[in-house]
Amino acid sequence: DPCRNFHCKRGKVCHVDKQGKPSCICQDPAACPSTKDYEHVCGTDNKTYDGTCQLFGTKCQLEGTKMGRQLHLDYMGSCKYIPHCTDYEVDQFPLRMRDWLKNILMQYYEHDLDTSGFLTEKQRSKVKKIYQNNKRLVAGNHAVELLLHDFEKNYHIYVYPVHWQFHQLDQHPVDRLLTHSELAPLRASLVPMEHCITRFFQECDGDQDKLIALKEWCHCFGIKE
């Protein structure tokens, strides 16, 4: 099968011509497999798609048009009303996000105590120091004032989780810059719960080059140079 090891980007599928030569053509959205309701996704055109196959197939068919350039995965789940993010809320966002990233690493570490899988040995040794810190704020729905006080008092606990998340996202390619598509896995899963995440990432891009550098990322989270 000429298509077996022939890779096509999202929204395209391998097609073999009469000469047996493989090439990539746009996925027909109508031919995408049926999905369950929880697999639906919302596009940046505020339209609900049956799944990522249908969304990226549609984007591919619009290639070369303004609509095609603007169409991206906005968030997981059917489209719904996302409230406007106020200045006050966007200022609070890094506090909650830092705490959330720290708690995710704590969960990964606890899981790896029984069966390793989430963290590398080097990551485990870094997270262990945070995990064993008796001043660490345990997971919970904390007031903004407490999160701010804890960040100022235990600043060193929050540095690694922020760096870790950046490097988790910086994959295609690994170049210390985050593109829209590299940010998508984090954004798409959080938008329905954290409506300020889109504005936060837009404002993180200080030089407006549509890329978030490590320095910009850390600055957004209040991590010093």
Side-chain angles (χ1 to χ4, degrees):
D1 178 6
C3 281
R4 178 173 286 183
N5 295 314
F6 195 80
H7 182 70
C8 295
K9 68 175 189 176
R10 291 185 91 168
K12 295 197 172 190
V13 289
C14 181
H15 171 75
V16 181
D17 64 17
K18 288 174 184 173
Q19 285 76 42
K21 193 178 173 189
S23 64
C24 293
I25 61 167
C26 284
Q27 164 76 52
D28 176 7
C32 287
S34 60
T35 57
K36 304 275 193 299
D37 285 353
Y38 61 80
E39 293 174 304
H40 290 178
V41 295
C42 185
T44 44
D45 56 355
N46 203 33
K47 181 182 167 189
T48 298
Y49 292 83
D50 283 350
T52 52
C53 172
Q54 194 182 84
L55 169 69
F56 288 107
T58 304
K59 179 178 171 65
C60 181
Q61 291 188 333
L62 294 168
E63 215 167 64
T65 67
K66 186 182 177 186
M67 216 168 152
R69 283 192 298 276
Q70 291 176 340
L71 180 58
H72 297 286
L73 170 64
D74 199 6
Y75 53 89
M76 310 306 283
S78 300
C79 294
K80 63 178 188 176
Y81 171 70
I82 303 287
H84 173 70
C85 175
T86 65
D87 292 348
Y88 175 67
E89 287 174 318
V90 85
D91 287 344
Q92 285 183 0
F93 182 81
L95 296 171
R96 292 196 306 277
M97 190 72 176
R98 280 191 305 247
D99 189 54
W100 183 70
L101 291 175
K102 179 199 70 186
N103 291 331
I104 281 180
L105 280 175
M106 296 306 98
Q107 286 177 4
Y108 282 176
Y109 183 79
E110 283 182 338
H111 174 275
D112 282 7
L113 288 173
D114 300 323
T115 48
S116 61
F118 286 123
L119 303 171
T120 64
E121 204 173 319
K122 189 178 175 185
Q123 288 171 336
R124 268 199 300 276
S125 68
K126 294 245 187 194
V127 178
K128 185 179 182 180
K129 290 172 188 169
I130 304 172
Y131 187 80
Q132 293 180 336
N133 191 314
N134 57 10
K135 292 179 182 173
R136 175 170 59 86
L137 196 62
V138 293
N141 193 16
H142 302 299
V144 170
E145 294 75 22
L146 179 59
L147 290 174
L148 182 60
H149 173 71
D150 192 60
F151 178 62
E152 289 168 351
K153 195 171 124 202
N154 298 308
Y155 168 81
H156 62 286
I157 285 178
Y158 293 92
V159 177
Y160 182 70
V162 171
H163 282 176
W164 169 81
Q165 180 63 87
F166 183 92
H167 294 294
Q168 289 295 108
L169 296 169
D170 183 23
Q171 299 291 336
H172 310 288
V174 179
D175 57 1
R176 294 166 77 86
L177 294 167
L178 296 182
T179 62
H180 185 281
S181 59
E182 284 176 318
L183 282 167
L186 181 65
R187 250 197 87 262
S189 57
L190 285 183
V191 167
M193 295 175 285
E194 285 285 2
H195 65 282
C196 281
I197 196 164
T198 300
R199 182 177 165 187
F200 175 73
F201 284 149
Q202 285 168 347
E203 293 183 7
C204 259
D205 182 15
D207 56 10
Q208 297 295 298
D209 65 349
K210 295 194 166 28
L211 297 167
I212 297 180
L214 179 59
K215 196 173 179 180
E216 289 174 319
W217 175 269
C218 289
H219 176 72
C220 281
F221 283 103
I223 304 299
K224 301 162 196 162
E225 283 189 46

